[in-house]
Amino acid sequence: MPARDAEFTELIRKRISQLQQLGWYHSIELKDGQVIKGLQSLEHLRFRLAQFPVPEDLTGKRVLDIGAWDGWFSFEMERRGAQVVAVDSHKHKNFEIARELLGSKVEHHVADICKLTPAEFGTFDIVLFFGVLYHTKHPLLALENVCNLATDMAFIESHVSDDGEDPAAPPVMEFYETTELGGQFDNWVGPNTSCLLAFCRTAGFARTELESVIQNRAHVTCHRQWPATQPASPAPFLVGVSPSADGYISIWFRSEQKELNCDNVFPRIGPYGSRPVHVSQTDADGWHVNCKLFPGETEVSLHVRNSAESNRARVGQALGLPQTAKPKIHSVTDGKTWELSRIHSGCISIWAAGLNDDLVKIAINGVYLPAIFISCPDTEGLRQVNAILPASLKPGEARVSLVSGELESDPVTVEVVNDSQ
Ligand SMILES: C[S@@+](CC[C@H](N)C(=O)[O-])C[C@H]1O[C@@H](n2cnc3c(N)ncnc32)[C@H](O)[C@@H]1O
């Protein structure tokens, strides 16, 4: 070997040996094949990643690596072609050193997942959440943020308190007040595998798949989308949408299909699938479903089994445009029989033009009823607005108007029929 080359190799060897003193969690392979050895070998890191169906080619994708530490997963995502943002609640100097040595363009920020929202760095096709959940004091909040940051998939690896062998195990979580887990104070929770999966669903993911549990580490792939289907039966029809407590939404719809449940009703909130937590039948073809509403998303639709997608509705009180002119009622029908200008008990439906504002109410004989459903405009610009009729409504003629923001439509007259007479 020529003297200069030998000198250079010796310099690199010394530099690696100095770097080695810094103490690494991840091993990092440099461009010339030399390896800074960390607590976790390259083989082990590759084995951990191989638990998940992460595409080999990530060209054009944005990836977020949460709790990146020394950054092996971030650099691997970049190697696969992704644009990568790495965050960690602590500033890890080794990440910066590795980034420089690798000539990497991964963005590196200090951020706490319990506070991170898409407002900071946007959303990501893929989110990696490896080895962080059990370090958080508020694990469900952290997972909700992970869900809100992902547009397609999140890969979640966490310590679990069991071996994941019993899929029917009740969901329970251990709490570590001090140093019970691994002698470390920053370990807070140990969900069992059932609990971890339930948390992922509750956080808002449409689908969760348990990939493996190895030595108390569970690997879960979480999807934000329903699988694509070929529509082969008629679309359900949405008749009511209303936000409820804890960031959930109630959807009422009509469908001829039988035995609908949480596994064959597929709500969509904005562009994302939202798994039902409850489905019940209200009458012969009437159904009610509860599912999670996502921040900033107002458009709702659903399909059941392999049906076509329903009509779209907006969550009431969220149209968000200024109301500059009076809304105009086009027609009024019963919300169930669709009879024109004739309403029974239950629900009233109005079709109206020029409906923009946030607050929409139906007034009937001077009583104001909140809208439980506002559809998207049809081809003529008409929106459907539904409200539940008060039980006290008397039979006979009634004056109906529509209020949007500060402005009220001209009234129309309808006939109220009392079915019990
Ligand atoms: C066990 S290490 C996991 C490192 C890497 N993700 C892996 O799986 O090999 C946990 C990392 O998460 C970071 N961390 C802990 N709590 C966090 C939080 N609330 N938000 C973001 N990062 C956090 C820690 O600083 C640490 O770098």
Side-chain angles (χ1 to χ4, degrees), residues 315-337:
V315 184
Q317 289 86 49
L319 301 180
L321 298 169
Q323 187 75 43
T324 49
K326 281 202 294 192
K328 192 168 180 330
I329 294 183
H330 177 267
S331 54
V332 180
T333 71
D334 184 80
K336 188 160 181 214
T337 64

Side-chain angles (χ1 to χ4, degrees), residues 71-105:
W72 186 84
F73 294 103
S74 304
F75 302 129
E76 175 61 16
M77 296 300 106
E78 184 180 45
R79 188 191 69 74
R80 295 185 186 197
Q83 187 220 327
V84 184
V85 174
V87 297
D88 201 291
S89 54
H90 292 87
K91 192 156 187 70
H92 290 292
K93 214 170 101 203
N94 286 359
F95 186 105
E96 295 295 338
I97 293 168
R99 193 167 83 112
E100 200 186 321
L101 290 170
L102 293 169
S104 157
K105 292 192 169 59

